Amino acid sequence: MNEELKQVLKEMIEEDTLAELKISNRPDLCDYQFDGTFALAKKMHKNPLELGETIVIKLKEIPTSNEKFVKIECVHPGFINFTLSDAYINDLLNQMATKEKFNITLPKQETIVIDYGGANVAKPLHVGHLRPAIVGESIKRILKYMGQNVIADVHLGDYGLQIGQVIYGLQQEKITPDKITLEKLSKIYPKISGLCKENPEIKKVCETITKELQDGNVEYQEYFKEILKISKQDIKKMYDYLGVSFDLWLGESDAYKYIPDVTKELNNQNLIQESEGAKVIHIASDTDTTEIPPLIYQKSNGAYLYGTTDLATIYQRELDYKPNKIFYIADKRQNLHFTQVFRVAKKLERTKNIDCEFLGNGTINGKDGKPFKTRAGDTPKLENLFNEIKNIFLSDELHNENYTEKDLDCIVNSVIKFADLQNSREKEYIFDIEKFSKTSGKTGPYILYTYLRTKKIIKNNEQFVDKLSKTIYNVHDRELRIKLLGLEDALHLAFKTRTSSGLANFLYEICVLVNAFYENNHINNLEDNKKKTDWVTLLDLTTKIIQDLLDLLVIEIPSKM
Ligand code: ARG
């Protein structure tokens, strides 16, 4: 909508970054508002009102302005108001309704590996695992929607100290690999990890087991295979419940076979140095404002670390997929780790052209601001959390219908995901389970409810879905139409910033407007067929947009609510 404004600002100050049109908060007066005049006036030492008038004159000299806008005016103290022509609005909406993906332009296609989920094998799953899975899945879907060639890898944490600890615990209890169960695993890990904190001797033994496992010890490998199999099933169950899926189920352990080649190439480039018996790679640069310590590539006991496997994994991805980019979604406290790994990858000839980005996520907190706990006070196992949400939703007397399990699962998912994705990825947020389970307010159930209600109107009036005429009937109608025109910008912003919160908020705003539309414009008993056609057609487009946005936010639609 702002092409002409961009052109004018470029002419005036050689840049167009300020050329942003906001949807007006006075829809009775205009559709969009430009308030950049003030910043601009300051820059140019001019009076905002005069400057605004000049901009308006220049805008009106551009032929396309006059096709789009019926009114462009500067108002006191310097805002510029824009009103689109009804015909132009409806022409755009008709194109959105008939062309693929609502007629948005797609960015250049690239190959992107996206690494998210990252659950740790053999450790019980809890709320902390939700966020990187949900955020990652949503970003993956956005990338695909925008035409990118995407490969999703879960990158399990499957070769760290926890495996050595669990093997140690199993052996202590004389459990052979064929007797391992999920239940036993979930008890053993916390027990041994606690012991290791108290007793450095035991920790040392566990470290040795881990190292020998990595070196190929046959007995430990037997244990490892079984642990991996059982734990993976459990992890997969959680991801399935959440609608999170991966193309690749690789993990740290799969990177090991690439380490010898990586080491060779690093040595050829003289990048590895000895430091107190360990092998390290220096990556600090003169321009650093904080100290970036070297990446430890191999410990003095010969063991490889998290950074080593991540580097070897980039190497593997380059061999297999030649990606332009790799995105990583994990707890933002891993920032330094990724900075180190990415810097080494940029030095290594083979991987230097890949652009790696770390998209860190904040934690999910309880109302007390500390990591989320259930009513029972524990860090909730995921299954308990899902049940708690189900019960809270059902305890609302509004909901006495008989839901199928599948519908309830959709609703639980909507609660969790809409709570999560409406917040910027990198921020902590407070998971208020009661608030987010309600059918009113900025919640998943509210969005689903709005969708289903609108869908019902369309179903009852299907024969009216057609093309929009040139008419817009009232302010509620107009506001909804103007909002829908923002889809392309919302998608491009989500793509550019690799975050879903803008889309979640855009979706919520659409739903608020649909509800206002619904309350003020009664369709079912309308006798004016032209109006009825226009409104049903508008709602049809709206539900299709809601449907795609829900999918991008990983929210599945229940059959009823
Ligand atoms: N397993 C890691 C953790 O739980 C997350 C993995 C993130 N991805 C990666 N390539 N390092 O912290």
Side-chain angles (χ1 to χ4, degrees), residues 163-338:
I163 305 289
Q165 291 172 321
V166 170
I167 293 177
Y168 171 82
L170 289 165
Q171 287 194 323
Q172 289 294 303
E173 294 185 24
K174 308 226 171 338
I175 301 170
T176 50
D178 56 315
K179 297 276 170 345
I180 303 173
T181 61
L182 185 63
E183 232 204 314
K184 284 180 186 146
L185 279 184
S186 53
K187 289 207 178 102
I188 282 175
Y189 171 73
K191 186 169 145 196
I192 307 298
S193 130
L195 267 182
C196 285
K197 278 186 197 122
E198 288 160 19
N199 187 333
E201 288 304 308
I202 297 183
K203 187 171 176 209
K204 232 190 177 128
V205 177
C206 294
E207 280 173 352
T208 309
I209 297 177
T210 311
K211 166 83 177 72
E212 286 175 8
L213 166 75
Q214 294 170 352
D215 288 343
N217 176 307
V218 177
E219 188 191 356
Y220 296 153
Q221 283 290 336
E222 288 290 307
Y223 272 104
F224 172 66
K225 275 186 205 134
E226 245 348 270
I227 296 169
L228 189 61
K229 191 176 96 194
I230 292 170
S231 191
K232 238 179 176 169
Q233 280 168 359
D234 186 43
I235 292 171
K236 186 153 188 312
K237 210 171 95 191
M238 168 187 76
Y239 289 142
D240 281 348
Y241 186 84
L242 294 170
V244 170
S245 67
F246 301 93
D247 304 300
L248 302 174
W249 274 80
L250 299 176
E252 291 165 2
S253 66
D254 295 291
Y256 268 72
K257 57 175 173 291
Y258 299 93
I259 292 180
D261 287 345
V262 177
T263 309
K264 205 153 112 202
E265 295 193 19
L266 285 167
N267 276 327
N268 285 345
Q269 287 182 243
N270 270 327
L271 290 171
I272 298 184
Q273 262 139 44
E274 294 272 340
S275 166
E276 296 167 32
K279 294 201 160 83
V280 305
I281 303 167
H282 288 280
I283 41 176
S285 120
D286 298 341
T287 52
D288 292 341
T289 49
T290 54
E291 199 198 319
I292 309 287
L295 177 121
I296 304 178
Y297 187 75
Q298 190 174 23
K299 289 212 295 194
S300 53
N301 74 352
Y304 294 108
L305 291 130
Y306 189 35
T308 326
T309 52
D310 260 331
L311 192 61
T313 304
I314 297 180
Y315 187 90
Q316 168 256 320
R317 289 170 179 162
E318 170 60 24
L319 293 184
D320 291 348
Y321 304 106
K322 301 225 164 307
N324 304 87
K325 295 192 163 78
I326 307 178
F327 294 165
Y328 296 79
I329 292 97
D331 191 309
K332 69 176 176 192
R333 285 169 290 188
Q334 295 193 25
N335 194 21
L336 177 61
H337 161 76
F338 284 108

Side-chain angles (χ1 to χ4, degrees), residues 36 93 157 213 236 248 333 366 430 492 522 557:
L93 291 173
L213 166 75
K236 186 153 188 312
L248 302 174
R333 285 169 290 188
I430 292 182
H492 278 274
H522 301 283
I557 299 164

Side-chain angles (χ1 to χ4, degrees), residues 58-161:
K58 286 185 186 286
L59 278 170
K60 287 185 175 165
E61 282 163 7
I62 304 175
T64 51
S65 283
N66 303 314
E67 289 163 23
K68 280 187 188 175
F69 300 106
V70 287
K71 198 169 79 186
I72 305 173
E73 61 177 358
C74 181
V75 296
H76 192 80
F79 297 106
I80 303 178
N81 291 346
F82 295 77
T83 302
L84 288 174
S85 89
D86 292 3
Y88 185 73
I89 294 174
N90 288 319
D91 187 36
L92 289 183
L93 291 173
N94 279 326
Q95 289 184 41
M96 285 174 76
T98 48
K99 303 237 170 86
E100 213 187 317
K101 284 188 187 165
F102 308 106
N103 202 27
I104 58 167
T105 50
L106 297 179
K108 181 175 114 229
Q109 186 184 59
E110 291 188 312
T111 297
I112 302 174
V113 172
I114 176 164
D115 173 322
Y116 65 101
N120 292 322
V121 165
K123 291 189 191 179
L125 294 167
H126 58 83
V127 174
H129 291 99
L130 280 174
R131 206 146 195 224
I134 295 172
V135 167
E137 178 69 23
S138 179
I139 295 176
K140 176 186 82 180
R141 292 184 186 200
I142 294 168
L143 297 174
K144 283 194 175 173
Y145 200 84
M146 299 305 274
Q148 304 303 298
N149 177 25
V150 187
I151 300 127
D153 182 7
V154 64
H155 201 78
L156 297 174
D158 63 357
Y159 235 28
L161 180 61

